[in-house]
Amino acid sequence: MQVVKYAFQQHGDERGQLVALEEYRDIPFQIRRVYYMYATKEGVRRGFHAHKSLEQILICIHGTCKILLDSGTEKKIVSLEKPYEGLYIASDMWREMFDFSPDAVLLVLASDYYEEEDYIRNYEEFLAFVKEKEAKTWR
């Protein structure tokens, strides 16, 4: 499994830091939806789903958190600790967000609007989806 973590360009001086993100330049897709999570309670895990076609970039713009990525055959945990780093998550990838610091703000840039039909919320269905997609690739 390839994990893609972007280090976005920072612009700073004595006033502080600025990170500007542009679709197709810094983000590899058109941004159609932006949302963020904050005030996540201690011990809470979020996510527990995959997407059939949606792509995302996750940026912990304040605090820290961890992301479990699961391709169906391999799992990796990625820490997000810097407000200028983004984690790219392709479609067909199960994700769980956890270990949020009390001050964490997790920003998500998504390639499409919210569509419930794109979600795979059952892990067994996710594994079947990945297996079926692999079988189609080999034909």
Side-chain angles (χ1 to χ4, degrees), residues 21-104:
L21 303 175
E22 298 178 0
E23 56 190 26
Y24 299 120
R25 288 187 177 179
D26 307 291
I27 306 301
F29 51 77
Q30 181 180 16
I31 301 166
R32 292 225 170 116
R33 185 168 177 239
V34 176
Y35 61 95
Y36 55 93
M37 295 167 239
Y38 67 99
T40 304
K41 305 290 186 228
E42 185 177 345
V44 169
R45 292 177 79 98
R46 302 195 61 157
F48 296 98
H49 66 272
H51 290 279
K52 296 173 187 171
S53 62
L54 186 82
E55 300 170 85
Q56 295 178 318
I57 296 275
L58 277 61
I59 306 167
C60 197
I61 58 174
H62 196 267
T64 63
C65 68
K66 293 180 182 163
I67 314 296
L68 169 69
L69 297 175
D70 183 341
S71 68
T73 57
E74 188 178 352
K75 295 180 182 183
K76 285 193 178 179
I77 294 175
V78 179
S79 294
L80 292 178
E81 303 168 338
K82 299 172 184 160
Y84 58 86
E85 285 186 341
L87 175 65
Y88 173 75
I89 303 180
S91 59
D92 310 342
M93 186 72 65
W94 187 265
R95 79 282 320 272
E96 297 175 20
M97 294 81 79
F98 65 101
D99 202 15
F100 289 86
S101 64
D103 60 344

Side-chain angles (χ1 to χ4, degrees), residues 89-126:
I89 303 180
S91 59
D92 310 342
M93 186 72 65
W94 187 265
R95 79 282 320 272
E96 297 175 20
M97 294 81 79
F98 65 101
D99 202 15
F100 289 86
S101 64
D103 60 344
V105 179
L106 181 62
L107 176 73
V108 181
L109 308 175
S111 65
D112 211 344
Y113 305 113
Y114 175 84
E115 291 185 30
E116 183 59 34
E117 305 81 43
D118 188 61
Y119 281 75
I120 305 170
R121 297 186 185 276
N122 177 286
Y123 188 72
E124 296 304 318
E125 288 176 20
F126 163 70

